[in-house]
Amino acid sequence: MERGAVLAFLWLATVGLLQEEHKQRIGFCSWKCLKFVQMWPGSFCVALGPRFDCVIPADADHWTIHGLWPSNIMNCCSCWPLFPSDLADLSKQLAEHWPTFLNASSFKFWREEWQKHGTCAGCLEAFSSPSKYFGAALALRTPYNVDRAFQRAGIIPSCNHSYQLHTLQEALVPIMGQEQELQCVTDGQARQVLVQLKVSLFSNFSAGCLEEGAQEFSPYRPCHSQSRIFYFPLNPKNPRQPCP
Ligand SMILES: *[C@@H]1O[C@H](CO)[C@@H](O)[C@H](O)[C@H]1NC(C)=O
Ligand SMILES: *[C@@H]1O[C@H](CO)[C@@H](O)[C@H](O)[C@H]1NC(C)=O
Ligand SMILES: *[C@@H]1O[C@H](CO)[C@@H](O)[C@H](O)[C@H]1NC(C)=O
């Protein structure tokens, strides 16, 4: 090899090693499972702190996306900023299916999700740009459609009727298997209220991924089977107390 070629080769090899070392140092690709997290707008504000404004758009009458989270890892890279133009093609779908309920701009929510979780997913080709990452999450609503699974099982939002945990779980098993977690909050009347659903996916998007010692980042608790579970209807006029 010519000297120039050797130098170029050494330079490229060094850059490659440095990039690899950087990725390993921050654990970029260390995750095995992804959590696809969907939330129920009807109860999002039930346990929301008073310092947050809560606004539920009337058309958010379906389960919405909270995020797509590589497990056990957060905030991988502040070096990859997100701009509105990155999501221009998806913004209509995102506004419908991935809205914020905090009376803030939805873009701010998407940017936080990208910063916290998306940048850690980017080492997989399927997520290697913001539009791929957000597009992949939107696409997951089809196989993991909670609204349809509940409707098929006759599980409908109600202030009067409550459900057993196993009834809700059984409705979801056909589409997402056993490895799902329903999360609840407790309202002012000590009712257990369904608010969020997490399904754990392999990087090929199949459900059922299990990871030992996985850390959870969530203000919500797993719903428990000792008391019945309320699935509150949407009440945009009184979202903190949809069922007084
Ligand atoms: C939402 O924010 C606007 C502007 O800051 C404010 O005027 C309005 O009262 C807020 N709405 C709620 C429900 O907090
Ligand atoms: C709850 O019950 C009341 C009275 O029985 C009924 O009028 C109301 O429509 C019910 N609400 C829901 C959300 O099922
Ligand atoms: C997805 O990946 C998991 C784990 O590698 C594997 O067990 C499963 O068969 C794969 N599913 C599909 C549909 O390829």
Side-chain angles (χ1 to χ4, degrees), residues 82-140:
L82 185 75
F83 297 100
S85 60
D86 290 323
L87 302 178
D89 293 344
L90 295 176
S91 61
K92 205 164 156 262
Q93 271 179 288
L94 288 171
E96 183 180 352
H97 297 296
W98 200 332
T100 182
F101 303 127
L102 295 180
N103 200 22
S105 94
S106 283
F107 181 75
K108 192 167 160 248
F109 178 32
W110 304 333
R111 195 175 53 202
E112 281 168 12
E113 287 294 311
W114 170 252
Q115 216 77 86
K116 277 197 216 163
H117 307 285
T119 56
C120 301
C123 59
L124 213 69
E125 191 181 357
F127 303 130
S128 55
S129 71
S131 64
K132 284 187 182 175
Y133 171 75
F134 285 93
L138 286 168
L140 287 172

Coordinates of all heavy atoms in Angstrom, one line a residue, residues 82-140:
L82 N -33.4 18.2 17.7 CA -34.6 18.0 16.9 C -35.2 19.3 16.5 O -35.3 20.2 17.3 CB -35.6 17.2 17.7 CG -36.9 16.7 16.9 CD1 -36.5 15.6 16.0 CD2 -38.0 16.3 17.8
F83 N -35.5 19.4 15.2 CA -36.2 20.7 14.7 C -37.5 20.3 14.1 O -37.7 19.2 13.6 CB -35.3 21.3 13.6 CG -33.9 21.7 14.1 CD1 -32.8 20.9 13.9 CD2 -33.8 22.9 14.8 CE1 -31.6 21.3 14.4 CE2 -32.5 23.3 15.3 CZ -31.4 22.5 15.1
P84 N -38.5 21.3 14.2 CA -39.8 21.0 13.6 C -39.7 20.5 12.2 O -40.5 19.6 11.8 CB -40.5 22.4 13.7 CG -39.8 23.1 14.8 CD -38.4 22.6 14.8
S85 N -38.8 21.0 11.4 CA -38.7 20.5 10.0 C -38.4 19.0 9.9 O -38.8 18.4 8.9 CB -37.7 21.3 9.2 OG -36.4 21.1 9.8
D86 N -37.8 18.5 10.9 CA -37.5 17.0 10.9 C -38.8 16.2 10.9 O -38.8 15.1 10.5 CB -36.7 16.6 12.2 CG -35.3 17.1 12.2 OD1 -34.7 17.1 11.1 OD2 -34.8 17.5 13.3
L87 N -39.8 16.8 11.5 CA -41.1 16.1 11.6 C -42.2 16.6 10.7 O -43.4 16.3 10.9 CB -41.5 16.1 13.1 CG -40.5 15.5 14.1 CD1 -41.0 15.6 15.5 CD2 -40.2 14.0 13.7
A88 N -41.8 17.5 9.8 CA -42.8 18.2 9.0 C -43.8 17.2 8.3 O -45.0 17.4 8.4 CB -42.2 19.0 7.9
D89 N -43.3 16.1 7.8 CA -44.2 15.1 7.1 C -45.1 14.4 8.1 O -46.1 13.8 7.7 CB -43.4 14.1 6.3 CG -42.7 14.8 5.2 OD1 -43.0 15.9 4.8 OD2 -41.7 14.1 4.6
L90 N -44.7 14.3 9.3 CA -45.5 13.5 10.3 C -46.3 14.3 11.3 O -47.0 13.8 12.1 CB -44.5 12.7 11.2 CG -43.7 11.6 10.5 CD1 -42.7 11.0 11.4 CD2 -44.6 10.5 9.9
S91 N -46.2 15.7 11.2 CA -46.7 16.5 12.2 C -48.2 16.3 12.4 O -48.7 16.4 13.5 CB -46.3 17.9 12.1 OG -46.8 18.4 10.9
K92 N -48.9 16.1 11.3 CA -50.4 16.0 11.4 C -50.7 14.7 12.2 O -51.5 14.7 13.1 CB -51.0 15.9 10.0 CG -52.4 16.4 10.0 CD -52.9 16.7 8.6 CE -54.5 16.6 8.6 NZ -54.9 15.3 8.1
Q93 N -50.1 13.6 11.8 CA -50.3 12.3 12.5 C -49.8 12.4 14.0 O -50.5 11.8 14.8 CB -49.5 11.2 11.8 CG -50.2 10.5 10.7 CD -49.2 9.5 10.1 OE1 -48.3 9.8 9.5 NE2 -49.5 8.2 10.4
L94 N -48.7 13.0 14.2 CA -48.2 13.1 15.5 C -49.1 14.0 16.4 O -49.4 13.6 17.5 CB -46.8 13.7 15.6 CG -45.7 12.9 15.0 CD1 -44.4 13.7 14.9 CD2 -45.4 11.7 16.0
A95 N -49.7 15.1 15.8 CA -50.6 15.9 16.6 C -51.8 15.1 17.0 O -52.4 15.3 18.1 CB -51.0 17.1 15.8
E96 N -52.3 14.2 16.2 CA -53.4 13.4 16.5 C -53.1 12.2 17.5 O -53.9 12.0 18.4 CB -54.0 12.8 15.2 CG -55.3 12.0 15.5 CD -56.0 11.4 14.2 OE1 -55.5 11.8 13.1 OE2 -56.9 10.7 14.4
H97 N -52.0 11.6 17.3 CA -51.7 10.4 18.0 C -50.7 10.5 19.1 O -50.5 9.6 19.9 CB -51.3 9.3 17.0 CG -52.4 8.9 16.1 ND1 -53.6 8.4 16.5 CD2 -52.5 9.0 14.7 CE1 -54.4 8.2 15.4 NE2 -53.7 8.6 14.4
W98 N -50.0 11.6 19.1 CA -48.9 11.8 20.1 C -48.9 13.2 20.7 O -48.0 13.9 20.7 CB -47.5 11.5 19.5 CG -46.4 11.2 20.4 CD1 -46.2 11.6 21.7 CD2 -45.3 10.4 20.1 NE1 -45.1 11.0 22.2 CE2 -44.5 10.3 21.2 CE3 -44.9 9.7 18.9 CZ2 -43.3 9.6 21.2 CZ3 -43.7 9.0 18.9 CH2 -42.9 8.9 20.1
P99 N -50.2 13.6 21.2 CA -50.3 15.0 21.7 C -49.8 15.1 23.1 O -49.7 14.1 23.8 CB -51.8 15.2 21.6 CG -52.4 13.9 21.9 CD -51.4 12.9 21.2
T100 N -49.5 16.4 23.5 CA -49.2 16.6 24.9 C -50.5 17.0 25.6 O -51.4 17.6 24.9 CB -48.2 17.7 25.1 OG1 -47.9 17.9 26.5 CG2 -48.6 19.1 24.6
F101 N -50.6 16.9 26.9 CA -51.8 17.3 27.6 C -51.5 18.3 28.6 O -52.2 18.6 29.5 CB -52.5 16.1 28.2 CG -52.9 15.0 27.2 CD1 -52.5 13.7 27.4 CD2 -53.6 15.3 26.1 CE1 -52.8 12.7 26.5 CE2 -53.9 14.4 25.2 CZ -53.6 13.1 25.4
L102 N -50.3 18.9 28.4 CA -49.8 19.9 29.5 C -50.0 21.3 29.0 O -49.3 22.2 29.5 CB -48.4 19.6 29.8 CG -48.1 18.2 30.4 CD1 -46.6 18.0 30.7 CD2 -48.9 18.1 31.7
N103 N -50.9 21.6 28.1 CA -51.1 23.0 27.7 C -49.8 23.6 27.2 O -49.5 24.8 27.5 CB -51.7 23.8 28.8 CG -52.4 25.1 28.3 OD1 -52.7 25.2 27.1 ND2 -52.5 26.1 29.2
A104 N -49.0 22.8 26.5 CA -47.7 23.3 26.0 C -47.7 22.9 24.5 O -48.6 22.3 24.0 CB -46.6 22.7 26.7
S105 N -46.6 23.3 23.8 CA -46.6 22.9 22.4 C -46.2 21.4 22.4 O -45.4 20.9 23.1 CB -45.5 23.7 21.7 OG -44.3 23.0 21.6
S106 N -46.9 20.7 21.5 CA -46.6 19.3 21.3 C -45.2 19.0 20.9 O -44.5 18.1 21.2 CB -47.6 18.6 20.4 OG -48.8 18.4 21.0
F107 N -44.7 20.0 20.1 CA -43.3 19.8 19.6 C -42.3 19.7 20.8 O -41.4 18.9 20.7 CB -42.9 20.9 18.6 CG -41.5 20.7 18.2 CD1 -41.2 19.8 17.2 CD2 -40.4 21.5 18.7 CE1 -39.9 19.6 16.8 CE2 -39.1 21.3 18.3 CZ -38.8 20.3 17.3
K108 N -42.6 20.5 21.8 CA -41.7 20.4 23.0 C -41.7 19.0 23.6 O -40.7 18.5 24.0 CB -42.3 21.5 24.0 CG -41.3 21.7 25.1 CD -41.8 23.0 25.9 CE -41.1 23.0 27.3 NZ -42.1 22.8 28.4
F109 N -42.9 18.4 23.7 CA -43.0 17.0 24.2 C -42.2 16.1 23.3 O -41.4 15.3 23.7 CB -44.5 16.7 24.2 CG -44.9 15.3 24.6 CD1 -44.2 14.6 25.5 CD2 -46.0 14.7 24.1 CE1 -44.5 13.3 25.9 CE2 -46.4 13.4 24.5 CZ -45.7 12.7 25.4
W110 N -42.4 16.2 21.9 CA -41.7 15.3 21.0 C -40.2 15.5 21.2 O -39.4 14.6 21.1 CB -42.1 15.6 19.6 CG -43.6 15.5 19.4 CD1 -44.5 14.7 20.1 CD2 -44.4 16.1 18.4 NE1 -45.7 14.8 19.7 CE2 -45.8 15.7 18.6 CE3 -44.2 17.1 17.4 CZ2 -46.8 16.2 17.9 CZ3 -45.2 17.5 16.6 CH2 -46.5 17.1 16.9
R111 N -39.8 16.8 21.3 CA -38.3 17.0 21.5 C -37.8 16.4 22.7 O -36.7 15.8 22.7 CB -38.1 18.5 21.5 CG -36.6 18.9 21.3 CD -36.4 20.4 21.1 NE -37.0 21.1 22.3 CZ -37.3 22.3 22.3 NH1 -37.2 23.1 21.2 NH2 -37.9 22.9 23.4
E112 N -38.6 16.4 23.8 CA -38.1 15.8 25.1 C -38.0 14.3 24.9 O -37.1 13.6 25.4 CB -39.1 16.1 26.2 CG -38.9 17.4 26.8 CD -40.1 17.8 27.7 OE1 -41.0 16.9 28.1 OE2 -40.2 19.0 28.1
E113 N -39.0 13.7 24.2 CA -39.0 12.3 24.0 C -37.8 11.9 23.1 O -37.2 10.8 23.3 CB -40.3 11.8 23.3 CG -41.5 11.8 24.3 CD -41.3 10.8 25.4 OE1 -41.0 9.6 25.2 OE2 -41.5 11.2 26.6
W114 N -37.5 12.7 22.1 CA -36.4 12.4 21.2 C -35.1 12.5 22.0 O -34.2 11.6 21.9 CB -36.4 13.4 20.1 CG -35.1 13.4 19.3 CD1 -34.1 14.3 19.3 CD2 -34.7 12.3 18.4 NE1 -33.1 13.9 18.4 CE2 -33.5 12.7 17.9 CE3 -35.3 11.1 18.0 CZ2 -32.8 11.9 16.9 CZ3 -34.6 10.3 17.0 CH2 -33.4 10.7 16.5
Q115 N -35.0 13.5 22.8 CA -33.7 13.7 23.6 C -33.5 12.6 24.6 O -32.5 12.1 24.8 CB -33.8 15.1 24.3 CG -32.5 15.8 24.4 CD -32.1 16.5 23.1 OE1 -32.5 17.6 22.8 NE2 -31.3 15.9 22.3
K116 N -34.6 12.3 25.3 CA -34.5 11.3 26.4 C -34.4 9.9 25.8 O -33.6 9.1 26.4 CB -35.8 11.3 27.3 CG -35.8 12.3 28.3 CD -36.9 11.9 29.3 CE -37.6 13.1 29.9 NZ -38.9 12.8 30.5
H117 N -35.2 9.6 24.8 CA -35.3 8.2 24.4 C -34.8 7.9 22.9 O -34.2 6.9 22.6 CB -36.7 7.7 24.6 CG -37.2 7.9 26.0 ND1 -36.9 7.1 27.0 CD2 -38.1 8.8 26.4 CE1 -37.5 7.5 28.1 NE2 -38.3 8.6 27.8
G118 N -35.2 8.8 22.1 CA -35.0 8.6 20.6 C -33.5 8.6 20.3 O -33.1 7.7 19.5
T119 N -32.7 9.4 21.0 CA -31.3 9.4 20.6 C -30.6 8.1 21.0 O -29.6 7.7 20.5 CB -30.6 10.6 21.3 OG1 -30.8 10.5 22.7 CG2 -31.0 11.9 20.8
C120 N -31.2 7.4 22.0 CA -30.6 6.1 22.4 C -31.1 5.0 21.4 O -30.5 3.9 21.4 CB -31.1 5.7 23.8 SG -30.6 6.8 25.1
A121 N -32.1 5.2 20.6 CA -32.6 4.2 19.7 C -31.9 4.3 18.4 O -31.9 3.3 17.6 CB -34.1 4.4 19.5
G122 N -31.3 5.5 18.1 CA -30.8 5.8 16.8 C -29.7 4.9 16.2 O -29.4 4.9 15.1
C123 N -29.2 4.0 17.1 CA -28.1 3.1 16.5 C -28.7 1.9 15.8 O -28.0 1.2 15.1 CB -27.2 2.6 17.7 SG -28.1 1.7 18.9
L124 N -30.0 1.8 15.8 CA -30.7 0.8 15.0 C -31.1 1.4 13.7 O -31.7 2.5 13.7 CB -31.9 0.3 15.7 CG -32.3 -1.2 15.6 CD1 -31.2 -2.1 16.2 CD2 -33.6 -1.4 16.2
E125 N -31.0 0.7 12.5 CA -31.3 1.4 11.3 C -32.7 1.9 11.2 O -33.0 2.9 10.7 CB -31.0 0.5 10.1 CG -31.1 1.2 8.8 CD -30.9 0.4 7.6 OE1 -30.6 -0.8 7.7 OE2 -31.0 1.0 6.5
A126 N -33.6 1.1 11.8 CA -35.1 1.4 11.8 C -35.3 2.8 12.5 O -36.4 3.3 12.3 CB -35.9 0.3 12.5
F127 N -34.4 3.2 13.3 CA -34.6 4.5 14.1 C -33.6 5.5 13.8 O -33.3 6.4 14.6 CB -34.6 4.2 15.6 CG -35.5 3.2 16.1 CD1 -35.1 2.1 16.9 CD2 -36.9 3.2 15.7 CE1 -36.0 1.2 17.3 CE2 -37.8 2.3 16.2 CZ -37.3 1.3 17.0
S128 N -32.9 5.4 12.6 CA -31.7 6.2 12.5 C -31.9 7.6 12.0 O -31.0 8.3 11.6 CB -30.7 5.5 11.5 OG -31.4 5.2 10.3
S129 N -33.1 8.1 12.1 CA -33.4 9.5 12.0 C -34.6 9.8 12.7 O -35.4 8.9 13.1 CB -33.6 9.9 10.5 OG -34.9 9.3 10.1
P130 N -34.9 11.1 13.1 CA -36.1 11.4 13.8 C -37.4 11.0 13.1 O -38.2 10.4 13.7 CB -36.1 13.0 13.9 CG -34.6 13.3 13.9 CD -34.0 12.3 12.9
S131 N -37.4 11.1 11.8 CA -38.7 10.7 11.1 C -38.8 9.2 11.1 O -40.0 8.7 11.3 CB -38.8 11.3 9.7 OG -37.8 10.8 8.9
K132 N -37.7 8.5 11.1 CA -37.9 7.0 11.2 C -38.3 6.6 12.6 O -39.2 5.7 12.8 CB -36.5 6.3 10.9 CG -36.2 6.3 9.4 CD -34.9 5.4 9.3 CE -34.5 5.3 7.8 NZ -33.2 4.6 7.7
Y133 N -37.7 7.2 13.6 CA -38.1 6.9 15.0 C -39.6 7.2 15.3 O -40.3 6.4 15.8 CB -37.1 7.7 15.9 CG -37.5 7.6 17.4 CD1 -37.3 6.4 18.1 CD2 -38.1 8.6 18.1 CE1 -37.6 6.3 19.5 CE2 -38.4 8.6 19.4 CZ -38.2 7.4 20.1 OH -38.5 7.3 21.4
F134 N -40.0 8.4 15.0 CA -41.4 8.8 15.3 C -42.3 8.0 14.4 O -43.4 7.7 14.8 CB -41.6 10.3 15.1 CG -41.0 11.1 16.3 CD1 -39.7 11.6 16.2 CD2 -41.7 11.3 17.4 CE1 -39.1 12.3 17.3 CE2 -41.2 12.0 18.5 CZ -39.9 12.5 18.5
G135 N -41.9 7.8 13.1 CA -42.8 7.1 12.2 C -42.9 5.6 12.7 O -44.0 5.0 12.6
A136 N -41.9 5.0 13.2 CA -42.0 3.7 13.7 C -42.9 3.6 14.9 O -43.7 2.7 15.0 CB -40.6 3.2 14.2
A137 N -42.9 4.6 15.8 CA -43.8 4.6 16.9 C -45.2 4.7 16.4 O -46.1 4.0 16.9 CB -43.5 5.7 17.9
L138 N -45.5 5.6 15.5 CA -46.8 5.7 14.9 C -47.3 4.4 14.3 O -48.5 4.0 14.5 CB -46.9 6.8 13.9 CG -46.8 8.3 14.3 CD1 -46.5 9.2 13.2 CD2 -48.1 8.7 15.1
A139 N -46.4 3.7 13.6 CA -46.8 2.5 13.0 C -47.1 1.4 14.0 O -48.0 0.5 13.7 CB -45.7 2.0 12.1
L140 N -46.5 1.4 15.2 CA -46.8 0.4 16.2 C -48.2 0.5 16.7 O -48.7 -0.5 17.4 CB -45.8 0.6 17.4 CG -44.4 0.1 17.1 CD1 -43.5 0.5 18.2 CD2 -44.3 -1.4 16.8

